[in-house]
Amino acid sequence: MAYEPRGDQNDRGGGGQGQDGGFVKVRGRRPVTDYSSTIIHWQRNRVPNYKGSYVGEAERPSASYIIDMLPPVARPTSPADTIPAKHLHSSLNKIKHPVNVVRWTPEGRRLLTASTSGEFTLWNGTGFNFETIMQAHDSAIRALEYSKGDDWLISGDHDGLIKYWQPNFNNVQSINAHSDPIRDLAFSPNDSKFVTASDDSTLKVFDFALGTMETKLEGHGWDAKSVDWHPTKGLLVSGSKDHLVKLWDPRTGRCLTTLHGHKSTITKVLFEPIRGSCLATSARDQTARVFDLRMMRDICLLKGHEKDISTVAWHPVHANLLSTGGMDGSLFHYLLDSPNTPAGQQLTVAPYDSPDPTTTPAQSIWPTHKISFAHDYAIWSLDWHPLGHILASGSNDRITRFWTRARPGDTEVFQDRYHIGEAAAEAQGTWDRRGNRRQRQEEEQQEIEDEMDALVDQDAQKPAAPPGLPGLLGIPGLPLGGGIVPGIGSAVPPPPPLIPGASFHLRPSPCLA
């Protein structure tokens, strides 16, 4: 991906002489990750699969081959080239709060984050700068999900309240779904239903259009921490504090089966979105597991974390690339077909390759790549860009970070402070504590200025809304300014009819002169 680094040391926070003799501050250039040239390069050189799928120059480990980088969709069988090892940017608000959820907008232009203060924050998906902020809930937002059709957004908070949002963040409905905090949300494949998981140990299936509960799923003995709906089937999965993973029929509310294996609280359950045959789970026992729904058993045991695993994320293009976030701030990436067994550990065989797949233990998988110091505290949420080239992470350290693959020839990325720690990076000269502190202060000041500019734009004087009918605000399909029903309460009178033979001369606007 095209990447423009921040400006030289001389143009960071520098200044210059203004037209009136005053001092003008010059803002440094932002790091920008633009995928347009990469996508166009691939589209110009791609051919049908039976001809090799690509006829352009092959990428090599040299900086001169940056222009030959390919997006993940162009190389679905090469997940190793997609592993996000490079830190792009750290985004943080002026008033900092822990980030509970991060979600890319459906078109991938922006990243939406939800915090414990109940605020939505939008970050630009290319320059990673602040765009806007709004107070969405009165309590901490715990769950966030876009519909499959990209037309709606639902959010759940600590008070058990669910809100419906249009893509322009117009709130059209609120539902008191649970009396306890909502921990997770998921849409059905056709967006007609959605399911919630709550600390009251129940799951509830709602009709999206009516906003009413259809089915209440009871069976967990403790808090329900996570839930997901299969991408193509009528199948639900839930994980609870009772160490159990359950599969449900959303039509009847019946528990189909219970998957055992974890020894502590389940933190995340997630269906594989491409083929839909696997299920990933993570728990506070420092492991994650991958279950095969066709065999109803675990096939992979993901090891390597020294602390509990808080979240997992499947890649949207590569079905065998799974990322995990730990309670200690570590970010690990696993290739499920590459065990990467370290020295001194016993080699294990995959159930698929064994004579008796039903009794063979799950294969131990170790991380292909580790970012041990990705965050200072627990990573609560991970989400991939729809194109699969950027991974966003939200953490309890109040920072949202963006990660992508290293460019050809870029080897210093593996020696930065996120991989080896601040002390080791400073000793090797790959990180300057004082310079980083100055750069961080400049970035924070820049974010504050961006946020103040955006708030000024939001608070600008708006034209008075035309009179309309009470109670019709926010109806989908009607103008956002104020629910005017066509034919009722016309706000603007029609123009007078033209007089035959008369001519009008419009004076140019002073703004256009």
Side-chain angles (χ1 to χ4, degrees):
M1 308 301 162
Y3 179 81
E4 180 186 1
R6 184 171 292 273
D8 296 332
Q9 189 71 24
N10 296 330
D11 64 3
R12 272 200 212 122
Q17 194 75 10
Q19 295 180 354
D20 56 355
F23 181 81
V24 178
K25 182 179 179 180
V26 178
R27 299 172 68 173
R29 294 179 297 169
R30 284 188 175 277
V32 174
T33 302
D34 184 15
Y35 52 81
S36 302
S37 59
T38 304
I39 295 292
I40 294 174
H41 176 74
W42 167 59
Q43 290 181 339
R44 291 182 61 185
N45 292 278
R46 64 178 179 172
V47 294
N49 285 333
Y50 71 90
K51 291 184 178 181
S53 74
Y54 183 71
V55 296
E57 184 73 24
E59 181 183 323
R60 302 180 188 180
S62 174
S64 60
Y65 287 87
I66 291 176
I67 60 173
D68 298 311
M69 295 172 64
L70 293 176
V73 69
R75 39 178 177 75
T77 58
S78 302
D81 294 333
T82 305
I83 293 177
K86 182 181 181 66
H87 169 258
L88 283 177
H89 188 73
S90 297
S91 298
L92 61 164
N93 293 87
K94 179 178 64 174
I95 302 177
K96 305 175 185 63
H97 298 281
V99 179
N100 288 337
V101 193
V102 295
R103 286 291 180 271
W104 286 96
T105 56
E107 78 286 353
R109 292 180 179 271
R110 295 171 181 86
L111 180 77
L112 177 64
T113 65
S115 67
T116 55
S117 63
E119 294 175 329
F120 283 164
T121 305
L122 270 179
W123 304 96
N124 187 280
T126 303
F128 315 118
N129 56 293
F130 171 88
E131 287 203 354
T132 188
I133 189 172
M134 63 174 291
Q135 188 70 40
H137 287 261
D138 295 330
S139 60
I141 301 173
R142 299 294 182 187
L144 199 64
E145 195 68 32
Y146 274 97
S147 64
K148 302 293 194 301
D150 306 338
D151 297 326
W152 292 95
L153 171 71
I154 55 175
S155 58
D157 65 13
H158 197 77
D159 294 334
L161 187 69
I162 292 177
K163 290 190 176 184
Y164 289 20
W165 306 87
Q166 291 176 315
N168 59 0
F169 298 103
N170 178 36
N171 179 219
V172 298
Q173 189 172 1
S174 298
I175 302 174
N176 288 314
H178 293 269
S179 57
D180 289 328
I182 294 174
R183 293 296 177 179
D184 207 357
L185 297 164
F187 267 101
S188 66
N190 61 359
D191 294 339
S192 62
K193 321 284 183 187
F194 67 89
V195 62
T196 62
S198 172
D199 280 354
D200 59 9
S201 76
T202 65
L203 310 175
K204 292 183 180 181
V205 178
F206 287 83
D207 183 280
F208 179 77
L210 300 178
T212 57
M213 185 188 73
E214 287 191 345
T215 310
K216 186 176 183 180
L217 311 180
E218 297 178 310
H220 281 295
W222 216 339
D223 304 353
K225 293 298 185 182
S226 183
V227 68
D228 194 25
W229 203 309
H230 194 277
T232 58
K233 305 181 188 304
L235 182 64
L236 299 176
V237 62
S238 62
S240 171
K241 201 173 180 179
D242 59 5
H243 311 176
L244 301 179
V245 176
K246 290 181 177 290
L247 294 171
W248 307 81
D249 183 351
R251 301 176 182 87
T252 63
R254 184 169 63 95
C255 178
L256 301 177
T257 188
T258 300
L259 302 175
H260 301 268
H262 287 291
K263 302 177 182 178
S264 188
T265 301
I266 309 297
T267 55
K268 189 68 176 179
V269 291
L270 205 59
F271 284 113
E272 196 274 312
I274 303 173
R275 301 172 184 171
S277 59
C278 290
L279 164 69
T281 63
S282 63
R284 291 181 178 269
D285 56 5
Q286 303 180 14
T287 65
R289 291 177 182 265
V290 176
F291 292 84
D292 191 326
L293 299 177
R294 297 164 294 186
M295 295 193 294
M296 282 299 176
R297 57 150 297 174
D298 52 344
I299 56 173
C300 295
L301 175 61
L302 309 186
K303 298 182 177 181
H305 277 276
E306 298 178 357
K307 298 291 184 180
D308 300 340
I309 301 177
S310 52
T311 187
V312 299
W314 289 100
H315 193 272
V317 176
H318 306 297
N320 59 337
L321 177 56
L322 185 66
S323 301
T324 61
M327 297 294 289
D328 56 353
S330 59
L331 179 59
F332 289 1
H333 306 287
Y334 295 84
L335 294 180
L336 302 184
D337 52 1
S338 300
N340 290 301
T341 306
Q345 297 291 335
Q346 183 179 2
L347 292 174
T348 56
V349 180
Y352 302 118
D353 301 327
S354 65
D356 187 6
T358 58
T359 59
T360 302
Q363 184 180 23
S364 297
I365 307 292
W366 301 82
T368 301
H369 187 78
K370 298 181 181 180
I371 307 179
S372 302
F373 304 92
H375 285 273
D376 295 333
Y377 298 102
I379 298 176
W380 292 132
S381 182
L382 295 172
D383 197 35
W384 281 97
H385 189 280
L387 285 178
H389 70 294
I390 294 180
L391 176 66
S393 59
S395 169
N396 202 46
D397 61 7
R398 309 174 183 181
I399 297 177
T400 302
R401 288 202 165 109
F402 299 86
W403 312 86
T404 190
R405 57 158 294 185
R407 295 185 300 178
D410 188 1
T411 57
E412 293 184 358
V413 64
F414 304 106
Q415 301 297 324
D416 62 6
R417 69 186 186 95
Y418 303 105
H419 286 81
I420 61 177
E422 293 184 358
E426 189 174 16
Q428 291 190 9
T430 56
W431 184 68
D432 180 14
R433 185 182 301 271
R434 184 174 303 175
N436 181 269
R437 186 182 298 112
R438 181 173 60 252
Q439 179 178 337
R440 172 60 61 84
Q441 292 174 352
E442 294 169 3
E443 290 177 351
E444 291 185 4
Q445 182 63 30
Q446 194 165 335
E447 299 293 356
I448 291 174
E449 293 175 5
D450 290 343
E451 188 167 338
M452 294 305 297
D453 292 342
L455 294 178
V456 169
D457 293 340
Q458 292 178 7
D459 296 336
Q461 186 67 26
K462 301 177 181 178
L469 297 180
L472 292 179
L473 293 177
I475 299 180
L478 295 184
L480 299 179
I484 303 299
V485 179
I488 302 179
S490 179
V492 181
L498 296 178
I499 301 175
S503 61
F504 297 89
H505 299 280
L506 299 178
R507 296 182 58 189
S509 171
C511 297
L512 301 177

